[in-house]
Amino acid sequence: MTKKKGRVFSGARPTGRQHLGNYLGAIKNYVALQDTYEDTIYCIVDVHALTTVETTSELKQNTYDMTLDWLAAGMRPDESMIFVQSHIPEVMELHTFLSMVTPLGKLTDLPTFKEKVRQQPHNINYGLVGYPVLMAADIALYKAVAVPVGVDQAPHLEFTREIVRSFNYRYNTNVLVEPQMVATEVPKVLGIDGKNKMGKSLNNHIELASTPKETQERVMQMVTDPQRARLSDPGNPDVCNVFTMHKIFSDAEEVERINDECRKAEIGCVACKKLFAKNLNENLMPFRERRAEFAQDPAYVWDVLNDGADRARVIAQETLSEVKEAIGLP
Ligand code: SF4
């Protein structure tokens, strides 16, 4: 297959062992983009994490665990540059330059900033305000032409594009590239509570690297159709998160059968969940085997990150020197 020209960039916070929501919402797409774009850059944005984390004691382990999961899921370090944001300090410099062309009022007006202020009123730090500028620097530093984002994140990318345009306009240059959005279909993955988006903070997640037994235990806790109190009550798969997951991880015939039997009360939720747990574990088996192999050599995982940083740094330094020249810095 001929790959598209240009570079894709995406960043993710070091959240440690990844869960189904991370996989379906981002990692799966990261892996696929390697086949469609010439250059793929995936950055673990540890500096961004500092705006919200209470303690940094787990940052290193989380970075390692996340990289391990990424590699096991099929991210290929010989093709993609996988690295840690803080290993390329040039991004902080570009952030400073971009901050000069970004109106403060716009930053404090952003719904995401207001949301964070609500969430952590005891810690409204400068980094929270400058977050979108650092994000713009992440993307612009590597001259990414494309950024995969779900529809809900589209306004963030639009803001990056504005900052890039402002910079180019202010300094009468075209050094920085306005990235395009690669619209990705990100399914809304609900947690085992069946209500909220899957995430670690709500402890409603299912980790990819769990054992089959742990996975089954989590699946058995999943909330199903709330109207179905007894086995003899017909269920409604359309409002059941277990069914949504079956559609992703079970084969079409089985999905069709569950759909039918659930509505006729011919299958119970316990049996349905056991089936899902079995199918999920089967789907995750190759991932878990690869992960166990990578885990035997932790030095390799750090080598991947160091090598990714070395390659990314070359691009970063080049861009930064062009940026300084465009500004007219002596
Ligand atoms: S039988 Fe399956 S699809 Fe139907 S409500 Fe129960 S868990 Fe959901």
Side-chain angles (χ1 to χ4, degrees), residues 222-226 228 231 233-244 246 258-259 261-263 265-273:
M222 285 177 81
V223 172
T224 63
D225 172 4
R228 193 176 186 200
L231 189 60
D233 294 340
N236 179 4
D238 299 336
V239 297
C240 176
N241 191 29
V242 178
F243 187 67
T244 307
H246 264 300
I258 293 167
N259 186 25
E261 291 183 357
C262 172
R263 289 176 201 277
E266 287 173 0
I267 184 173
C269 292
V270 171
C272 187
K273 286 198 248 186

Side-chain angles (χ1 to χ4, degrees), residues 35-73:
D35 295 328
T36 43
Y37 275 88
E38 269 183 348
D39 256 350
T40 35
I41 298 191
Y42 299 124
C43 181
I44 298 177
V45 291
D46 56 344
V47 181
H48 281 295
L50 298 181
T51 56
T52 51
V53 293
E54 301 279 332
T55 160
T56 53
S57 58
E58 288 175 357
L59 266 185
K60 199 169 170 188
Q61 185 64 38
N62 283 348
T63 301
Y64 172 82
D65 285 335
M66 185 155 138
T67 311
L68 201 55
D69 281 354
W70 279 8
L71 294 173

